[in-house]
Amino acid sequence: MKIYIITFFLCLTVNSFSQDFWQQTNGPYGGSIYCLETSISGNIFCSTFSGGGIYKSTNNGNSWFKVFGDNRNSWSWEIVTDKYSNLFASCSGHGIIKSTDDGNTWIQLSSTLTPQALAVNNNGHIFAGLNAGGIYRSTNNGINWVMVNFGANGVRKLLIKPNGYIYAAFPPYVRISTDNGDTWSQINYSGMTGGNDMSLDSSGNILVCNSYGIFKTSNDGANWLQVCNIPSL
């Protein structure tokens, strides 16, 4: 996450340094922000390291209040939402948790997995990517988990497209699954030696960032275009 932020700002500085896109919100305070997510209702959720826990804003970031966690050991790696308005979070010390009421209350799905990456497909299947390596899948709302991909390097980000294709970003490579995680193939492209973060734009293109810059694909990884170079520092 931190590497992705650095990559983004470097590209922003190179391409449009004179423009002002950002305005500081009124909190939440307590160190680095590890993740951000907007629910279907339009509320914003985030997690801070020092402050711990998960925070919610119902007024576009003007004010924040804590909805989960009571100490700094409860920070969250990732918060995601599904099409049914459920929220899922990977929370230190609590494993994978879920909210069905827009973050007001949370239940624990797994106490043994604390992934760095989370994603949920349209069938409600949950995918968890561990920092220690490996991707796990649950098809029964988090009751049982099965490893579907092993990687010696930690998973940085999981992304699922509307067509069901799953992308997994590892530091040395990016992998794709077209069959709900049963099998995976590695994407090979010059410069695409790994991924620190991924995002899906409004046109359905996938953006992947690594130490070389930001890459974009519009055909599910068959071809990639480097849309931003990282200058030497």
Side-chain angles (χ1 to χ4, degrees):
M1 182 65 72
K2 294 178 181 178
I3 298 175
Y4 171 72
I5 294 172
I6 293 171
T7 302
F8 174 78
F9 276 109
L10 283 172
C11 288
L12 184 65
T13 302
V14 171
N15 294 326
S16 53
F17 64 89
S18 62
Q19 302 182 55
D20 184 12
F21 292 100
W22 297 91
Q23 178 181 350
Q24 186 172 357
T25 65
N26 185 28
Y29 302 102
S32 302
I33 301 295
Y34 271 81
C35 56
L36 281 169
E37 177 69 334
T38 303
S39 66
I40 293 178
S41 63
N43 295 322
I44 307 171
F45 294 83
C46 76
S47 179
T48 67
F49 177 68
S50 298
I54 298 173
Y55 291 81
K56 176 180 178 179
S57 175
T58 59
N59 54 10
N60 202 34
N62 290 320
S63 61
W64 300 81
F65 57 95
K66 185 179 286 189
V67 293
F68 184 84
D70 53 8
N71 57 60
R72 65 173 297 172
N73 295 320
S74 300
W75 50 270
S76 178
W77 277 110
E78 178 114 85
I79 305 171
V80 298
T81 186
D82 66 11
K83 68 176 184 179
Y84 304 107
S85 301
N86 298 312
L87 288 162
F88 300 84
S90 170
C91 203
S92 176
H94 299 275
I96 301 173
I97 57 176
K98 175 183 178 181
S99 175
T100 60
D101 57 5
D102 207 30
N104 294 319
T105 60
W106 299 81
I107 59 173
Q108 188 179 59
L109 300 183
S110 173
S111 61
T112 58
L113 297 176
T114 305
Q116 182 165 331
L118 276 175
V120 185
N121 68 12
N122 288 332
N123 295 321
H125 298 170
I126 311 168
F127 294 83
L130 271 61
N131 189 41
I135 300 173
Y136 289 77
R137 178 183 65 198
S138 174
T139 59
N140 56 5
N141 202 33
I143 298 175
N144 303 107
W145 296 84
V146 176
M147 180 183 282
V148 294
N149 181 273
F150 174 78
N153 300 94
V155 183
R156 294 292 182 262
K157 185 71 174 181
L158 291 172
L159 184 148
I160 302 179
K161 290 191 64 177
N163 62 7
Y165 288 9
I166 310 169
Y167 291 79
F170 298 79
Y173 44 74
V174 176
R175 288 178 176 172
I176 180 174
S177 174
T178 61
D179 55 9
N180 202 41
D182 290 334
T183 59
W184 297 78
S185 59
Q186 186 166 316
I187 294 175
N188 296 305
Y189 181 79
S190 177
M192 273 285 296
T193 57
N196 296 313
D197 211 337
M198 293 185 291
S199 182
L200 190 67
D201 70 14
S202 59
S203 300
N205 302 314
I206 294 178
L207 299 171
V208 177
C209 77
N210 59 27
S211 57
Y212 292 95
I214 298 178
F215 296 79
K216 180 177 75 172
T217 178
S218 57
N219 55 7
D220 289 314
N223 302 101
W224 294 82
L225 173 67
Q226 188 170 3
V227 295
C228 175
N229 294 310
I230 300 300
S232 300
L233 300 178

